[in-house]
Amino acid sequence: TEMKLDYSQVKKLERILTQELAQYGTYLTLLDQEQKSVVALKSDRVSALSQQRSKVSDTIAELRAERLDLVEAVSGTPRMRLSDLIEEACEPADKKRLLALVQQMRDKLALVEKKSNEFTQVLNFSLGLVNGEISILWSASQTVNRVYNSFGALTESAQPSAPRDRKS
């Protein structure tokens, strides 16, 4: 049995791929804005952008599921690659258009992965700075006790210091 994508399936696949590409573009824009907001320490902006990015991720997941369902419906297997299906089941003109979209999608996904990794590094760096400041503030509020142990080595322990103005 030869697989064939009919006109409506080709159009549906083209629509899904085009929408997915647009959503990845939106995702990258939001990721970039969020990264700039993290660097500028604009936490309210960061959480707003993060929520928008989360919605875009949901939309991408829905489109991906729709695409995978279509591929499975035509091929009869959930394991068939989209490009293989297009190669086997499309007319030359449709094949050329759809494979170009698939390639754009691969390029976009590679960019999303690269930018997401960069963003994670920026986040970790920023969190490191914040945690560093917190630990400096924390240690400044501790009383350090220095004690010599039985081997003559110095050990230090931090004790939370009581407020100085306590009236007993």
Side-chain angles (χ1 to χ4, degrees), residues 94-136:
D94 294 334
K95 187 186 298 188
K96 188 177 176 191
R97 248 187 7 267
L98 291 172
L99 287 176
L101 283 171
V102 169
Q103 188 54 54
Q104 287 175 42
M105 186 92 117
R106 284 195 186 121
D107 296 345
K108 195 72 88 173
L109 277 167
L111 192 57
V112 165
E113 194 171 328
K114 178 177 176 276
K115 294 292 184 186
S116 295
N117 288 338
E118 276 175 28
F119 181 58
T120 301
Q121 288 172 349
V122 167
L123 266 184
N124 289 341
F125 180 74
S126 298
L127 286 173
L129 288 179
V130 170
N131 288 336
E133 287 171 16
I134 289 170
S135 79
I136 289 167

Side-chain angles (χ1 to χ4, degrees), residues 19-32:
Q19 287 178 335
E20 262 185 290
L21 271 169
Q23 290 296 322
Y24 279 119
T26 303
Y27 185 91
L28 284 167
T29 302
L30 290 168
L31 190 66
D32 184 53

Side-chain angles (χ1 to χ4, degrees), residues 143 161-167:
T143 305
S161 53
R164 296 216 157 73
D165 61 349
R166 195 167 58 190
K167 295 173 177 69

